[in-house]
Amino acid sequence: MEVTQFVVAQRDKALLVGDYGSYRTQLSRRLLTVRRKLNYTSVKGHKFLHLLLLTAERAWAQAMHMKSTHSAESGGKAITGSTRRHINSRLRKAAVYVEQLLELLRNRESGATTDNVLEARAYLVSLQGAVEFEKRNWEACLHVYSEARLIYSSLAKSGNAKRDDTFRDLLSTNIDPSIRYAAYQLKLPRTTTIDTIVERYVHRTDSSYVQQILQANPDALSRGGSGQKQGTSGASDNVPKTLRWRSREVKLEDAATAQALAAVSEAEVKLSSFLNSHRHVEAKAKASAYDGVLIPSQDAVDATKTAIDELASEGVPQSDPRMQALQITRTAVNYALIGWRIGRNRVLCGEHDGATLVQEKTRRLSKPRKDGKPRKIKEESNGRKLSRLRERVVLYDATLQSLDSVKDLPGVAADQALIQEIDTKRAYFSALRCLAIARSHALLSNTKNALALFARALEQCPRKSSASPDEGGLHKPPNIEVKTDQTDYLHNLLSGLVAQHRALVELHNLNEAAVKEAESKAKYAPPMVERLDEYPANGVDLTKLVTYPPKLQPIPVKPLFLDVAWNYIDYPGRSKKGTEQTINGAVDAGAGAPPPKKEAKKGWFGFGR
């Protein structure tokens, strides 16, 4: 059985919706249910392992409930009298039950593995360490907690990610803080690391479990056996002794902070190597690589805050050199953390911090077409482009908020040079934000709005930056620093876009003026049917094709026919001879034609009767 997984799962499930009191009540109900189903009313027979484990957890939950209740009522005062004795009694009872569980698992007939026995031993010594912690026997507390940390650290290297994370969480939330507090009570130097404390206080000869671990891994104590993920604890040889922030250099007296900073340095090297060797991977993969730096950076921030709180609880004034050094360290680690967050946002924006709108790579269909022709890659739709631009605007807003939070760090407001650098960086990202919004208006054919936003972005874009370009073949991972070549590229891009959209706006204005002029003339123009010889350059007015209803207007009844070339054209149906006679006006004498007869006059004055 996996003791640690069972205990942690029960605690997380119960404490998610309640407190230690509800956890104890839940364990009591579950114990009663199990005993009824098994028809077993006592745990002294060592028959059922889960009954022992649930009983031990119930005793521990009762002790934690009394401790939390007293702390809330007494306002942080030390626990004394019967309450303290009752808490110690509950913790000892829990340790007794776990000791019986360990004896059962050591029996070969139980079928338990070596890891199961080690988990039970670690669970036992952690409860014994809690007993010594409540008794304030700090040296004995370090002895038992050191053994628990060594066992859990060795178990955290099994290769099972879920199981290893469980052990690491248990170390970071329970074991390590207790060791650090006990070392503080023993007046050990703050620069002493937890690995060094474990190596000094663990019993190497008295415990057969420690000997078993050292036989399997002789370097478990020399390397600290922390079990943390690689790059999150830092090697003891590479732990920095000092920290430089701007023009100041302070000593790192807190060991946890120094270890976290060493882990950050290792993570930065790994991130830089990954980005230089995988330049063509997707933006999401690059952003995921930043998690390896963000996690130890956050650990450094938490460790610095914890050290400051410890000194404040001791009554150390703000003017003390130790407190001043921690405040500078706090500003430096917070600035670095904000810088990596901004760098992650810049990577997600794409190339040139999102200044260019490059079409996304679409996945080609593996199935070929039936006619054998290659499939064409579809062009990205405007809706998808607008969605990407909205995502960039959100990232720019987060970046601007992070830059504003830098000004709230201790000592930043008095550094005018740093304030000026932050304002320059803020102007750079504000220009990128205006650029993204302007591109969205350009996609929607709002040319005037786009021109106004492009001009605003050009106005905000800084011309100079405090950071210089990278030297050498390797490029540093993007962070809060903005280089001169990046600002120059953005300024040149915005200048071109402003000129382009000025021309587009001018063409738009000319087109609008021509349309308005045509519309004004069209009001008095005749219908289209009367202007068929004209080309409609501004389009056809479909509402004015004909005059309807038709108006009453005069038309010629008998059209005049006048053709002066009638006698000179050979029309079909007319003989050539007749045409020539008509042209000459008379017939030749040799033609033999009879002379015309003279019509006799009839009646008086030539009128016929």
Side-chain angles (χ1 to χ4, degrees):
M1 62 176 298
E2 295 186 357
V3 177
T4 307
Q5 189 68 28
F6 179 82
V7 171
V8 172
Q10 294 295 322
R11 291 180 182 179
D12 292 344
K13 182 179 178 181
L15 297 179
L16 185 63
V17 294
D19 54 1
Y20 293 107
S22 61
Y23 181 36
R24 174 177 176 270
T25 305
Q26 179 182 348
L27 291 171
S28 299
R29 288 198 300 265
R30 184 168 181 180
L31 276 170
L32 182 61
T33 302
V34 172
R35 287 171 178 171
R36 285 178 179 176
K37 288 184 178 180
L38 298 177
N39 195 18
Y40 192 75
T41 57
S42 176
V43 298
K44 295 182 180 180
H46 307 305
K47 187 176 180 181
F48 303 106
L49 300 178
H50 281 84
L51 289 178
L52 289 170
L53 198 55
L54 290 173
T55 307
E57 273 294 288
R58 183 177 63 174
W60 176 85
Q62 184 178 3
M64 294 297 103
H65 176 62
M66 290 187 295
K67 187 176 179 179
S68 60
T69 304
H70 184 273
S71 299
E73 293 177 354
S74 62
K77 295 181 180 180
I79 302 175
T80 57
S82 59
T83 304
R84 182 183 176 187
R85 291 193 297 271
H86 196 183
I87 292 174
N88 293 336
S89 173
R90 293 293 92 191
L91 292 175
R92 283 195 301 269
K93 184 177 181 180
V96 169
Y97 284 122
V98 177
E99 191 172 359
Q100 295 176 6
L101 173 65
L102 179 60
E103 293 297 328
L104 286 176
L105 292 176
R106 293 180 62 183
N107 190 356
R108 296 182 179 179
E109 298 178 357
S110 63
T113 62
T114 304
D115 288 349
N116 297 146
V117 177
L118 287 176
E119 285 186 41
R121 175 62 182 178
Y123 184 37
L124 172 61
V125 293
S126 64
L127 289 175
Q128 292 175 350
V131 174
E132 300 298 335
F133 190 92
E134 295 299 330
K135 288 182 177 181
R136 301 176 186 175
N137 295 332
W138 305 118
E139 188 171 355
C141 177
L142 283 180
H143 284 304
V144 290
Y145 268 131
S146 296
E147 182 179 352
R149 191 179 193 277
L150 178 62
I151 296 175
Y152 279 131
S153 301
S154 301
L155 292 172
K157 300 177 181 179
S158 62
N160 189 342
K162 184 177 180 181
R163 190 165 175 263
D164 294 348
D165 289 341
T166 302
F167 291 128
R168 294 190 189 99
D169 292 341
L170 192 60
L171 285 173
S172 60
T173 58
N174 188 14
I175 306 298
D176 288 352
S178 301
I179 293 177
R180 179 60 63 188
Y181 187 80
Y184 167 74
Q185 293 294 334
L186 288 176
K187 308 297 182 182
L188 296 180
R190 292 182 181 272
T191 55
T192 306
T193 63
I194 294 181
D195 297 337
T196 306
I197 296 173
V198 171
E199 183 180 0
R200 183 185 303 175
Y201 283 92
V202 70
H203 291 294
R204 306 190 185 192
T205 57
D206 298 342
S207 176
S208 59
Y209 302 96
V210 175
Q211 295 177 1
Q212 180 181 354
I213 293 174
L214 293 178
Q215 289 177 0
N217 183 16
D219 297 332
L221 286 177
S222 61
R223 296 291 297 172
S226 60
Q228 300 292 333
K229 293 182 179 179
Q230 189 176 3
T232 60
S233 60
S236 58
D237 298 337
N238 299 326
V239 174
K241 303 298 182 182
T242 59
L243 174 67
R244 187 172 186 82
W245 164 248
R246 307 289 290 176
S247 59
R248 300 180 182 180
E249 187 174 357
V250 296
K251 293 183 179 181
L252 295 174
E253 298 181 357
D254 186 66
T257 304
Q259 280 186 325
L261 290 175
V264 171
S265 300
E266 294 181 7
E268 288 179 12
V269 175
K270 292 181 179 180
L271 176 62
S272 179
S273 176
F274 176 81
L275 294 181
N276 285 293
S277 59
H278 300 81
R279 295 186 179 181
H280 301 291
V281 297
E282 296 182 355
K284 292 183 179 179
K286 294 181 180 180
S288 300
Y290 273 78
D291 294 339
V293 182
L294 290 173
I295 293 175
S297 298
Q298 184 63 53
D299 293 340
V301 172
D302 297 339
T304 307
K305 184 178 182 302
T306 302
I308 293 175
D309 294 340
E310 289 178 357
L311 288 181
S313 62
E314 296 175 10
V316 177
Q318 293 292 332
S319 58
D320 189 89
R322 294 176 297 170
M323 186 67 77
Q324 292 290 329
L326 283 175
Q327 291 291 353
I328 295 174
T329 305
R330 179 185 177 186
T331 302
V333 296
N334 276 281
Y335 185 82
L337 176 61
I338 293 172
W340 291 120
R341 287 176 181 171
I342 293 175
R344 185 177 183 272
N345 293 340
R346 295 175 69 177
V347 168
L348 286 173
C349 288
E351 296 182 0
H352 302 290
D353 298 328
T356 57
L357 188 61
V358 183
Q359 182 175 353
E360 285 186 337
K361 295 181 180 179
T362 57
R363 297 180 180 178
R364 296 187 178 182
L365 298 176
S366 58
K367 185 177 180 181
R369 293 178 53 174
K370 294 181 179 179
D371 54 3
K373 297 181 180 179
R375 293 184 179 273
K376 296 181 179 180
I377 301 177
K378 295 183 179 180
E379 186 179 356
E380 189 176 8
S381 63
N382 286 343
R384 178 56 187 161
K385 291 180 181 178
L386 291 173
S387 178
R388 290 171 54 198
L389 290 171
R390 282 195 294 268
E391 293 175 359
R392 290 183 183 181
V393 170
V394 173
L395 293 173
Y396 294 141
D397 288 336
T399 301
L400 294 174
Q401 291 178 2
S402 299
L403 289 173
D404 292 337
S405 64
V406 173
K407 299 180 180 180
D408 298 332
L409 297 178
V412 174
D415 193 344
Q416 296 298 325
L418 180 59
I419 291 293
Q420 186 176 1
E421 292 180 10
I422 294 173
D423 291 340
T424 303
K425 297 177 178 64
R426 197 181 192 286
Y428 174 76
F429 290 105
S430 298
L432 287 172
R433 183 178 181 274
C434 287
L435 172 61
I437 299 175
R439 286 191 184 277
S440 63
H441 282 277
L443 289 174
L444 296 175
S445 300
N446 297 331
T447 316
K448 293 183 179 179
N449 295 343
L451 175 60
L453 289 168
F454 282 132
R456 176 60 177 168
L458 181 61
E459 180 183 350
Q460 290 183 340
C461 180
R463 294 302 304 272
K464 295 182 180 180
S465 178
S466 59
S468 58
D470 295 330
E471 297 180 358
L474 295 179
H475 297 276
K476 296 181 180 179
N479 52 13
I480 195 173
E481 300 299 332
V482 179
K483 302 177 180 60
T484 305
D485 55 345
Q486 294 172 341
T487 57
D488 293 342
Y489 177 84
L490 180 60
H491 190 274
N492 295 334
L493 177 65
L494 289 172
S495 299
L497 289 173
V498 168
Q500 176 187 0
H501 282 76
R502 278 178 180 168
L504 292 175
V505 169
E506 185 65 23
L507 291 175
H508 182 72
N509 293 336
L510 292 175
N511 188 27
E512 283 187 350
V515 170
K516 290 181 180 179
E517 183 179 358
E519 289 179 353
S520 62
K521 292 181 179 179
K523 294 181 180 179
Y524 307 101
M528 180 57 64
V529 70
E530 300 179 12
R531 295 181 291 112
L532 297 178
D533 57 334
E534 298 179 4
Y535 176 75
N538 297 320
V540 179
D541 187 6
L542 300 179
T543 62
K544 203 171 184 181
L545 296 177
V546 295
T547 303
Y548 185 84
K551 298 180 180 179
L552 185 62
Q553 54 184 351
I555 59 175
V557 178
K558 294 181 179 180
L560 299 178
F561 180 79
L562 181 60
D563 192 350
V564 296
W566 171 263
N567 297 328
Y568 296 92
I569 300 176
D570 187 12
Y571 291 98
R574 294 181 60 196
S575 64
K576 184 175 181 181
K577 185 176 181 181
T579 304
E580 292 177 355
Q581 292 177 357
T582 307
I583 295 173
N584 296 329
V587 182
D588 295 339
K597 296 180 179 181
K598 294 183 180 180
E599 187 177 359
K601 295 183 180 180
K602 298 179 181 180
W604 293 349
F605 308 106
F607 292 100
R609 293 185 179 178

